[in-house]
Amino acid sequence: MRRKLAAGNWKMNGTTAALSELEALARAYPTPSIDVLICPPATLLHRAAEVVRDTEVTVGGQNCHAATAGAHTGDISADMLVDAGASAVILGHSERREDHGEQNEDVRAKARAAMDAGLKAIICVGESLEQREAANTLDIIGGQMSGSIPDQSTGENLIVAYEPIWAIGTGKVPTLNEIGEVHDFIRNRLERRFGEGVGRSVRLLYGGSVKPSNAEDIFGVSNVDGALVGGASLKAQDFSGIIDALLKA
Ligand code: PEP
């Protein structure tokens, strides 16, 4: 049985005041029967970990460097994330692929470092609108998976997030059939590469304009084990609607 996961990506949003949203969330769901993870900006990570300390809500990073330490001004290693209290890290988000030119091999190296440090790597894959319209979605996802996911992956240290780029922050969402097609494809690929046991144990998240109003339908799609949520994770009230839908799924 794969444990469901509601993961929030705060991106470059939030200063100290935002911790009150996390406090509210931790108060509402101290011991949820699903996993609840918030990935705040790195500046808040340590304090966020303190906020959720006596609960089962966890916190994570939004990126890490592939090296364990060294001359990399402005970067953060996986060990540093662990030290700050992280249990997971989002890697290969399309915004990092786009803004920082991250390639599949960069994502793979970072994922290796994250797994070596004991973090769960949430590896993001997803097609652009152009690629979808050209009917290239599955080729793109397959290529990103082969290139970004390290060989040492297991159901414990790997989570894959399918995030169509055109659905992120736009209010547009693929049809349930389209989500199902990609999630089944990802599951199949994982089973072929890692064997049925591992392939079936990796959690698959959908991400892209998930809101309380559409979460229930999305969570009803097969092979959707939860969501990676941007905008709607910033406010405890919105994210609670998504958590509640996942608790019911
Ligand atoms: C994201 O950036 O991971 C994301 C899914 O954003 P949003 O929920 O705002 O579309």
Side-chain angles (χ1 to χ4, degrees):
M1 262 299 269
R2 297 182 297 271
R3 195 169 155 93
K4 311 254 181 221
L5 168 62
N9 173 13
W10 283 8
K11 311 190 185 191
M12 198 174 71
N13 294 296
T15 51
T16 302
L19 291 173
S20 64
E21 297 296 330
L22 184 58
E23 260 165 38
L25 205 63
R27 223 179 300 122
Y29 303 96
T31 54
S33 58
I34 58 168
D35 287 343
V36 175
L37 168 77
I38 290 289
C39 299
T43 47
L44 290 181
L45 186 55
H46 182 64
R47 280 177 292 164
E50 289 296 309
V51 168
V52 299
R53 194 168 46 163
D54 295 325
T55 75
E56 286 174 22
V57 174
T58 58
V59 295
Q62 299 176 13
N63 178 42
C64 71
H65 198 278
T68 50
H72 303 289
T73 302
D75 276 312
I76 296 175
S77 74
D79 284 336
M80 290 169 180
L81 292 179
V82 172
D83 185 51
S87 63
V89 59
I90 299 167
L91 295 170
H93 191 283
S94 59
E95 287 154 13
R96 291 213 55 92
R97 291 180 189 261
E98 220 164 280
D99 296 354
H100 300 272
E102 284 186 11
Q103 305 296 314
N104 288 329
E105 55 268 28
D106 302 316
V107 178
R108 190 185 188 109
K110 288 173 181 222
R112 261 196 238 114
M115 291 171 179
D116 288 347
L119 291 170
K120 295 180 197 311
I122 303 176
I123 298 183
C124 302
V125 295
E127 82 287 1
S128 66
L129 188 58
E130 211 176 28
Q131 289 163 336
R132 175 159 284 276
E133 285 173 349
N136 284 334
T137 298
L138 299 183
D139 280 350
I140 295 295
I141 304 293
Q144 289 174 334
M145 287 180 69
S146 323
S148 306
I149 297 177
D151 290 336
Q152 74 206 76
S153 300
T154 66
E156 197 38 52
N157 65 16
L158 174 68
I159 294 157
V160 178
Y162 168 52
E163 298 210 308
I165 299 168
W166 51 274
I168 294 178
T170 59
K172 292 183 193 148
V173 179
T175 65
L176 299 180
N177 279 344
E178 286 168 339
I179 294 174
E181 182 191 29
V182 176
H183 279 241
D184 288 350
F185 172 82
I186 294 173
R187 175 75 60 216
N188 195 273
R189 275 293 178 110
L190 289 170
E191 286 180 10
R192 270 177 32 202
R193 178 166 165 198
F194 295 104
E196 269 191 17
V198 170
R200 281 190 191 164
S201 63
V202 174
R203 289 177 287 179
L204 309 186
L205 307 183
Y206 168 76
S209 296
V210 178
K211 302 195 172 11
S213 56
N214 61 18
E216 193 177 333
D217 286 343
I218 293 170
F219 296 148
V221 176
S222 84
N223 279 316
V224 173
D225 302 310
L228 179 55
V229 182
S233 70
L234 294 171
K235 294 281 169 223
Q237 198 182 356
D238 295 337
F239 202 46
S240 297
I242 293 168
I243 292 171
D244 290 341
L246 195 54
L247 283 166
K248 275 195 251 150

